[in-house]
Amino acid sequence: MPMAGKGMLLTSMDIDASDEAEFNRWYDREHLRERVAIEGFLEARRYIADQGSPKYLSLYSTETFEVLDSPAYRAALANQTDWSKANIARFRNMIRAVARITISRGQGRGAALGIVRLRPATGGKDELRATLREKLDPQGLDGIISMHLIESDPVLSKPLTDRPSASGPAAGDWFVLIDATDVNAISAAIAARLAPFKSAVISTGTYHLMWDLAKNDIPA
């Protein structure tokens, strides 16, 4: 299975231009390393939108789904650094999906990522998953390295914010992730494999990899 582990945390957000330099400095110098260091976390990847919204996207892989509700992770959420608190307060349009990796086909990762957000119909999850298992096959798709499905947990998936008006826009939604060599291959893959699911599609986007960090990159 090309995607590491069984659990995934997907976060995506916009940030005001005036705060962007500080936001990226925090992500690159503290946040990714801090999260990957948590027991059970395996790696993290940061992306920036080519075409899509929100602008920034991060994927965190974990050994199991249960890691994303573990004492170690909950302790990290409850004890954010001051730098983290300041930046999290500036997030806009945040999506936070705590998810299970249920399909992962292909070999390796790509420098480009396609993301398709789906909302399964009530009572239709099993049928949709079975159909996607057949469709998410990179064979025969030029420039496509691997394809994946992650399914959000509706209880755990909610933005890290204490704004009273905030809701969990990703709660219960699914995300198809398409690893590609370049963004131009992604639209063709979506047309070829996901056109039958048009009624369930909430949004699509393409992203470029900024950088990634694995557990073994962190000095012991």
Side-chain angles (χ1 to χ4, degrees), residues 100-119:
R100 293 173 173 83
I101 302 170
T102 54
I103 299 172
S104 188
R105 303 186 66 182
Q107 295 181 330
R109 328 300 175 57
L113 183 78
I115 182 166
V116 181
R117 182 174 167 186
L118 302 169
R119 186 160 296 158

Side-chain angles (χ1 to χ4, degrees), residues 72-90:
Y73 182 50
R74 282 188 269 111
L77 293 178
N79 295 280
Q80 306 276 11
T81 67
D82 290 342
W83 201 11
S84 292
K85 291 176 183 177
N87 278 281
I88 290 170
R90 299 178 182 126

Side-chain angles (χ1 to χ4, degrees), residues 37-55:
I38 296 170
E39 182 180 356
F41 276 64
L42 299 173
E43 62 182 14
R45 291 184 271 167
R46 280 200 76 197
Y47 294 88
I48 190 167
D50 175 71
Q51 289 186 337
S53 181
K55 182 176 181 178

